[in-house]
Amino acid sequence: MKAICVTENRQLEVREVPTPAFVPSGHIMVDIVASAINHGDKALLARPTITKGLNTSLYEIWGASASGKVCAIGEDVPTAFAGRNVALYRSLTPSPHTVGLWSGKAILPYTSALILPECVAVEDYSGSLVNAMTAYAFVEEMLSEGHTGLIVTAGASASGLAITAIARKKHIPLIALVRSEQAGEELRGLGMEHVLVTESHDFENKLATLSKQLNTTAVFDGVGGELINRIAPHLPISSTIWCYGFLGGVGLISVPSVLFVAKKLTMKGFSNFNSATVRDIHKLRAALTSLEEIIADPMFRTRQGMKFSFDQIAEAMAYEAEPGAKAILSPTA
């Protein structure tokens, strides 16, 4: 079968690899329908040291996310998976038997898959599970540290929308930050109550007032750089900033030391596959079960851009569309 693989010099190429024929215990075989190209798929190619310790694939097949239909299950796999549409995130459970996901068929542990409800289209979840699990794991971590309200800096991003959906389910106060009034209106149209536009003239004043009112001491940051410099002085006492994404580019974070002392600020990184939720198999199973109940929420759907065949991988990786829309790889295109 055709698959998109990574070479020794960190390039992608289409190869013919053996089609999987055997499903090991605890694993599922999936006919891949669509694979979204996420930001992480590009970032990890450019930063090979980050991939050390991550779940890899046989034949060096690339890609972290996909969706498809289970065509076979191994022993010790819940029968509920048989014949069902699933969303996939390869990094959830390491296995030496993993095959996929940028391929025609994939093999991976069933704990790297989420069963989709019959009422949704499988194509709409080709890049969703990574964001859903990131959101779930982050919310669990912030709650475990005693935070009761949060700020999402990239409120209109896929991860931002997923966090919003989970926070709404758990009745957690949330402030979403967006760059434009258009994005703000779109989020308000989805029922989000507290949306602030970072480019508005009174953004800092509104943030200071609202963050104190809602006690939003947890910050999930997908932007970094200059935006953190702007919001840090206006956060409540004992706030923690989790750095996850870098949409703001290579801009430096520059926060005066006195602010760390006066505000009792904490800054640290966040990684879903290093979170307590993902590292503990029992918590991971509980997370997947919980997400199955809410995954039909439109906020979890992958924003689909242009569709590409495997032979068009170079064009797909270079594809840029409206913010948030992803290139989609199709084995049958």
Side-chain angles (χ1 to χ4, degrees):
M1 65 178 181
K2 276 188 176 182
I4 299 171
C5 306
V6 60
T7 66
E8 290 186 0
N9 62 348
R10 311 299 290 179
Q11 300 298 311
L12 296 177
E13 67 179 17
V14 179
R15 298 173 180 167
E16 290 288 336
V17 302
T19 302
F22 171 73
V23 187
S25 177
H27 290 63
I28 57 176
M29 182 186 293
V30 181
D31 287 324
I32 299 297
V33 173
S35 302
I37 299 179
N38 291 318
H39 177 73
D41 292 312
K42 300 179 182 181
L44 293 177
L45 279 176
R47 300 178 178 88
T49 56
I50 300 178
T51 60
K52 290 183 178 179
L54 296 188
N55 186 14
T56 57
S57 165
L58 292 175
Y59 318 118
E60 303 301 329
I61 300 173
W62 200 244
S65 299
S67 59
K69 185 173 184 178
V70 177
C71 57
I73 63 174
E75 294 182 3
D76 299 322
V77 173
T79 57
F81 279 87
R84 295 296 298 276
N85 289 335
V86 289
L88 306 171
Y89 178 28
R90 192 184 74 185
S91 298
L92 287 181
T93 308
S95 168
H97 305 294
T98 294
V99 177
L101 295 171
W102 289 2
S103 58
K105 288 183 182 290
I107 297 280
L108 68 170
Y110 78 90
T111 47
S112 291
L114 180 146
I115 298 175
L116 294 172
E118 300 288 355
C119 62
V120 304
V122 63
E123 296 89 347
D124 286 340
Y125 291 85
S126 58
S128 297
L129 186 51
V130 56
N131 301 307
M133 187 55 67
T134 295
Y136 186 98
F138 172 74
V139 170
E140 289 297 297
E141 183 166 319
M142 62 158 274
L143 291 176
S144 72
E145 296 190 10
H147 300 278
T148 58
L150 70 116
I151 296 170
V152 179
T153 61
S157 68
S159 294
L161 293 175
I163 288 177
T164 298
I166 292 173
R168 186 159 58 186
K169 178 73 173 178
K170 293 179 177 288
H171 306 290
I172 298 171
L174 179 145
I175 302 172
L177 308 186
V178 295
R179 293 192 344 185
S180 69
E181 187 57 44
Q182 179 182 349
E185 287 302 313
E186 290 175 358
L187 294 191
R188 295 184 190 101
L190 292 171
M192 296 179 64
E193 183 178 0
H194 305 297
V195 182
L196 298 181
V197 179
T198 59
E199 301 305 314
S200 64
H201 70 280
D202 56 351
F203 164 66
E204 282 88 353
N205 289 335
K206 286 184 176 179
L207 178 64
T209 300
L210 194 57
S211 63
K212 181 179 181 180
Q213 175 187 337
L214 300 177
N215 195 34
T216 52
T217 56
V219 180
F220 183 83
D221 176 42
V223 179
E226 187 264 344
L227 182 58
I228 293 301
N229 303 337
R230 291 177 62 194
I231 71 173
H234 308 290
L235 297 176
I237 300 293
S238 299
S239 289
T240 298
I241 301 169
W242 279 269
C243 300
Y244 176 74
F246 313 100
L247 296 177
V250 295
L252 297 178
I253 294 176
S254 178
V255 179
S257 299
V258 66
L259 192 61
F260 275 93
V261 177
K263 288 277 189 177
K264 300 180 181 178
L265 295 181
T266 301
M267 292 186 67
K268 54 186 176 179
F270 179 78
S271 163
N272 55 40
F273 41 77
N274 285 326
S275 66
T277 296
V278 173
R279 292 174 69 88
D280 185 316
I281 190 63
H282 301 292
K283 292 181 178 180
L284 176 58
R285 288 171 179 159
L288 290 166
T289 299
S290 180
L291 286 170
E292 283 180 18
E293 299 174 358
I294 60 174
I295 198 68
D297 188 317
M299 288 191 178
F300 288 111
R301 293 177 189 168
T302 303
R303 296 181 188 174
Q304 297 185 54
M306 188 176 295
K307 184 179 290 186
F308 297 87
S309 69
F310 283 1
D311 292 325
Q312 296 172 306
I313 183 57
E315 295 92 329
M317 292 292 283
Y319 174 74
E320 297 289 345
E322 61 182 275
K326 300 177 180 180
I328 305 297
L329 297 169
S330 171
T332 59

